[in-house]
Amino acid sequence: MELIAADDAGVGRAARLLRDGGLVAFPTETVYGLGGDAWSADAVRGVFAAKGRPPDNPLIVHVDERTGLASVAATVTPLAEELAERFWPGPLTVVVDAADGLPRETTGGLATVAVRVPDHPTALALLRRAGVPVAAPSANRSGRPSPTTARHVAADLAGVEGLVLDAGPCPVGVESTVVDARGTTPVVLREGAVTREQLGVPPPEGGEQARTETRRAPGTRYRHYTPSCRVEVAEPGESRARAVEVARTGARTGRVGPGPAPQGVETVATVDGADHLARVLYDALRDADDRGLDVLVVEGVPEVGVGRAVMDRLRRAAQAG
Ligand code: TXA
Ligand code: MG
C-alpha cells in the first residue's frame, strides 16, 4: 500500500480510487479501516482478499451522514433513527435489515447490514468526496491487532494495491460498539467505544459464561487481536509482581500498566486508566512482537465504561493457541 498524507490532494486521490473500485485505508476515531465501495462486489472481494478475512464475516458500511443509513437499509427502525441521532458521528454501529441489491460480499450473506458515521475529519472528507458508502473492516491482516496508525496498516498489508491516508494515531483506539437495532431496545453484539452505560443496556448477567451464550457479531467468533508473544492479563494492581514472576522463569517479559516496569521487565507502555489503555493497547501488542518478547503482562482495568471493551479485546489477545 502507498502511504499518502491526508491533505486535500491526498483525500481527493483516495476518493477517486474508491469510486474506481480500488482500496483505501483511512483513519477513523476508533481504528484504521480498509475500505471499498460497498455497492461493488468486486471492490469488497478485494477487501476480504487483502485481509485474508473469512467470507462469512460481514463488513461495516461507513456513510458520511445520518441520511446515508436509508441508502443501504431496507428499513430504518425508530430505534436505529434514535441511536443515529444520539451517537453519530461516533463509534456506534447499528445493524438493520439490508437494502435490496446490496452485494452479499458486503453483508457476509446475511439479510442485515451494519452501518456507522465515523467521527474523524479525514474519514468524513473521504466519504463525502467519494460519494459512495464505504464497506470497511479494520485494516489489519485477519487475526492481528487492529491498526491504530498508518504504519500498522502498511506493515500488515504490504503488497496490497491501494492507498493509506496517514492522519496520525486514532484518538479512541478501540473499535465501535455493534448493536442490533432491529427491535425496540439495542442488543449489544460487540462491546466497543460507546459504553453500555451510555446506551442504557445492562451487562449480561453471569459474566464470561453468559457472554458466550448471548448473541454476538459473527466476527467475535474468530481468533482476534493476537500477537505472536503470549499475553497475560493481570488483576488491577498485580501486574508488576506478576511480570517479575514471569521474568524469573527466563522469559523475555514486557509490561503494560501504570508506572514503569520493575527491574528485569521491559516497559512496553505506561498507562493511566481504561481510556488510555484503549488508545495504546493495539500498538503495545504489536510492539511486544517487534521487541521479540516472549510474554507481555498487561494490567487489567475494571469492567465499567470503555473498560468492558478493553477487557474483551485483552481476553481475546490472551487466548492461547
Ligand atoms: O470501529 C470500527 O468498527 C472499525 C472502523 C474501521 O469503523 N471497524 C471494524 O470493523 O472494527 P471489523 O470488520 O473489524 O468489525 C466489524 C464487526 C465484526 O465483528 C462483524 O462480524 C460485525 O461487525 N458485523 C458486521 N456486519 C454485521 C451484521 N450485519 N450483523 C452482525 N454483526 C455484523
Ligand atoms: Mg477487525
Side-chain angles (χ1 to χ4, degrees):
M1 304 221 52
E2 182 188 347
L3 248 80
I4 61 171
D7 55 14
D8 199 56
V11 170
R13 197 177 147 202
R16 279 194 301 280
L17 182 60
L18 279 175
R19 272 202 307 274
D20 290 344
L23 303 186
V24 173
F26 59 97
T28 76
E29 77 280 38
T30 58
V31 301
Y32 275 71
L34 176 67
D37 177 354
W39 286 105
S40 162
D42 275 350
V44 177
R45 270 196 294 270
V47 172
F48 278 90
K51 281 183 59 91
R53 182 175 176 107
D56 62 347
N57 188 7
L59 309 184
I60 294 173
V61 175
H62 296 70
V63 293
D64 69 344
E65 53 179 329
R66 243 158 50 208
T67 53
L69 175 57
S71 75
V72 290
T75 327
V76 178
T77 59
L79 175 61
E81 194 84 61
E82 179 199 321
L83 293 171
E85 192 163 324
R86 266 186 76 195
F87 293 104
W88 288 356
L92 185 79
T93 297
V94 301
V95 171
V96 290
D97 287 325
D100 276 349
L102 200 64
R104 51 178 297 116
E105 283 77 2
T106 299
T107 60
L110 300 176
T112 53
V113 63
V115 188
R116 81 180 190 103
V117 177
D119 188 14
H120 193 290
T122 302
L124 290 172
L126 177 69
L127 291 166
R128 217 164 278 141
R129 285 174 73 169
V132 293
V134 172
S138 49
N140 51 285
R141 283 286 304 171
S142 202
R144 296 262 298 152
S146 296
T148 51
T149 68
R151 194 175 52 80
H152 295 163
V153 178
D156 271 19
L157 302 183
V160 171
E161 204 177 315
L163 297 172
V164 188
L165 282 169
D166 184 357
C170 299
V172 175
V174 71
E175 299 88 342
S176 65
T177 306
V178 180
V179 301
D180 188 341
R182 289 175 299 167
T184 50
T185 52
V187 176
V188 176
L189 304 177
R190 178 180 72 179
E191 307 283 345
V194 166
T195 65
R196 284 179 181 266
E197 289 85 345
Q198 286 172 288
L199 288 166
V201 178
E205 274 173 47
E208 187 66 44
Q209 183 64 27
R211 240 191 309 274
T212 60
E213 283 161 14
T214 51
R215 287 168 52 214
R216 297 188 302 180
T220 57
R221 283 197 305 267
Y222 294 104
R223 233 172 99 73
H224 232 123
Y225 316 109
T226 40
S228 308
C229 79
R230 185 156 68 81
V231 176
E232 263 199 42
V233 188
E235 293 295 319
E238 291 176 10
S239 66
R240 300 181 105 245
R242 181 58 195 149
V244 168
E245 231 171 70
V246 173
R248 271 206 206 108
T249 67
R252 193 164 159 204
T253 308
R255 172 186 174 266
V256 174
Q263 214 187 354
V265 174
E266 295 177 38
T267 301
V268 175
T270 302
V271 299
D272 179 21
D275 291 293
H276 191 181
L277 183 55
R279 209 152 53 235
V280 303
L281 178 62
Y282 293 146
D283 185 64
L285 294 177
R286 286 168 181 268
D287 189 23
D289 278 348
D290 294 345
R291 289 166 181 259
L293 296 180
D294 298 311
V295 183
L296 180 69
V297 177
V298 184
E299 181 152 324
V301 291
E303 296 208 39
V304 290
V306 79
R308 194 175 292 286
V310 171
M311 289 303 287
D312 169 74
R313 307 306 191 264
L314 254 179
R315 270 193 295 267
R316 289 169 197 281
Q319 254 164 38

